[in-house]
Amino acid sequence: MVDSGLKQDLIDAMKTFETPKFMATKDSSGEPNVVPVLSWTVYEGNTLVYGDFMTYKTRNNLNNGNTKFSILVFTTDLDSWLIKADFESFHRNDEIYEFIAQTPLFRYNQYTNARGAGVAEAIWASEKFGISKMNVLLAFLKAKLASRKVPIQESNEGNMPLNVFNRMSQMAAVKIIAYISEDGYPIVYPEFGMLPVSSNRIVLKRGEEKRRGFSIKDGSRVAVSLVTLEPAAFQLKGNFRVLNDSTGYIELDRVYTCSLPRPGARVDIPMLTPEV
């Protein structure tokens, strides 16, 4: 990993609005939150901007003073970068808001208008990490083999509905994990070696975690963003448990939908107040 300004290949990926981007924040208790936010782009230099839309929990976290956040930029070619950034503020009715309002995601869509332009300063960017399709397959198969090691226990909360369980079981589904590092910034990375073992347990191979130099401690709170081609997006939260240096699992206690018509609604316990 490198501590420097944004490299040109990362800038190009950021400016392509079709490039998936995942934004990770935390609340005042240190709970991670990670959701897809495609509108992030480079404004100038290391200044970043996004159009706030359907990000209730993310917006609250930032407005409550939790300004350390991260962005995972993850291309369709399976290249990715992690950006750590400090949030500045939301802008309205100024040149920065007009800049984001004129981007393709908002300019040509009569149904979506940015509530504000969120501005941040990138303070650190990783090197580019690539994942081959063969590595995706191997991670998926290793997770299947490791699933029998995960202890099963029933719970009242955190149970994936069948549609979420089935999507989590797909090899082609994009699975992004986030936790809070010791410096207070969220760490976000893709992990295809992730599969449901039961309605409230997910086995996790730790290949990308180790390759990127990260280390999730036993008991850490984690958030998982699950995105499929349907399209559909969900967020799952729980406690990370270490089985060994190469395998862990997540004890789920929250499952949210991130898609219309009710983004932010809990689906493990229906009809609760949106929190995403």
Side-chain angles (χ1 to χ4, degrees):
M1 295 191 175
V2 291
D3 188 350
S4 65
L6 304 180
K7 302 293 181 63
Q8 191 59 48
D9 55 356
L10 174 53
I11 292 173
D12 292 342
M14 287 283 289
K15 288 185 174 181
T16 303
F17 281 90
E18 294 80 7
T19 299
K21 298 139 193 159
F22 295 84
M23 181 180 181
T25 58
K26 64 178 181 180
D27 66 16
S28 298
S29 68
E31 177 85 357
N33 194 80
V34 59
V35 290
V37 182
L38 272 66
S39 60
W40 274 108
T41 189
V42 177
Y43 182 64
E44 59 181 24
N46 283 349
T47 301
L48 311 177
V49 61
Y50 85 105
D52 177 50
F53 174 69
M54 291 200 316
T55 55
Y56 178 86
K57 182 62 175 176
T58 296
R59 182 185 182 88
N60 276 359
N61 286 346
L62 297 172
N63 282 334
N64 288 336
N66 304 297
T67 56
K68 293 181 177 181
F69 75 100
S70 296
I71 305 166
L72 178 73
V73 181
F74 189 46
T75 72
T76 54
D77 293 328
L78 306 185
D79 293 328
S80 63
W81 301 258
L82 176 64
I83 301 172
K84 294 181 180 180
D86 291 331
F87 188 76
E88 178 205 288
S89 63
F90 287 103
H91 289 232
R92 300 172 185 82
N93 303 319
D94 62 7
E95 66 277 6
I96 295 180
Y97 179 84
E98 287 304 316
F99 170 82
I100 203 68
Q102 292 303 311
T103 56
L105 193 62
F106 296 106
R107 182 179 182 182
Y108 303 112
N109 194 330
Q110 60 180 321
Y111 302 105
T112 59
N113 291 305
R115 293 181 296 180
V119 179
E121 192 73 12
I123 64 163
W124 180 91
S126 76
E127 63 182 279
K128 179 173 70 175
F129 286 91
I131 303 175
S132 70
K133 292 181 179 179
M134 180 57 71
N135 283 339
V136 171
L137 175 60
L138 290 175
F140 183 82
L141 294 176
K142 288 178 180 178
K144 273 187 170 292
L145 291 173
S147 61
R148 55 191 173 189
K149 300 178 182 178
V150 176
I152 305 301
Q153 184 175 347
E154 294 184 358
S155 63
N156 292 325
E157 297 182 300
N159 291 290
M160 290 176 279
L162 184 59
N163 65 324
V164 180
F165 184 97
N166 289 339
R167 286 173 168 88
M168 179 61 74
S169 301
Q170 296 175 11
M171 183 174 67
V174 176
K175 302 160 189 177
I176 306 298
I177 187 167
Y179 71 99
I180 308 303
S181 63
E182 292 182 356
D183 65 5
Y185 289 89
I187 296 295
V188 200
Y189 61 94
E191 188 59 85
F192 288 94
M194 193 184 307
L195 284 172
V197 178
S198 66
S199 64
N200 62 0
R201 294 288 188 274
I202 295 173
V203 67
L204 179 68
K205 294 304 294 182
R206 307 177 68 184
E208 289 302 311
E209 172 196 345
K210 299 299 181 180
R211 185 165 79 99
R212 296 165 192 246
F214 304 143
S215 182
I216 311 180
K217 295 181 180 179
D218 187 78
S220 295
R221 293 293 293 172
V222 296
V224 174
S225 181
L226 169 66
V227 180
T228 59
L229 298 175
E230 274 81 358
F234 302 90
Q235 183 175 193
L236 306 91
K237 296 187 179 185
N239 296 315
F240 179 76
R241 298 299 180 190
V242 174
L243 287 174
N244 53 52
D245 195 54
S246 64
T247 310
Y249 66 95
I250 303 171
E251 300 172 335
L252 295 177
D253 51 40
R254 298 287 187 275
V255 182
Y256 303 92
T257 178
C258 299
S259 307
L260 294 171
R262 297 188 67 231
R266 278 185 67 177
V267 292
D268 61 311
I269 302 179
M271 304 305 292
L272 292 189
T273 303
E275 293 186 14
V276 175

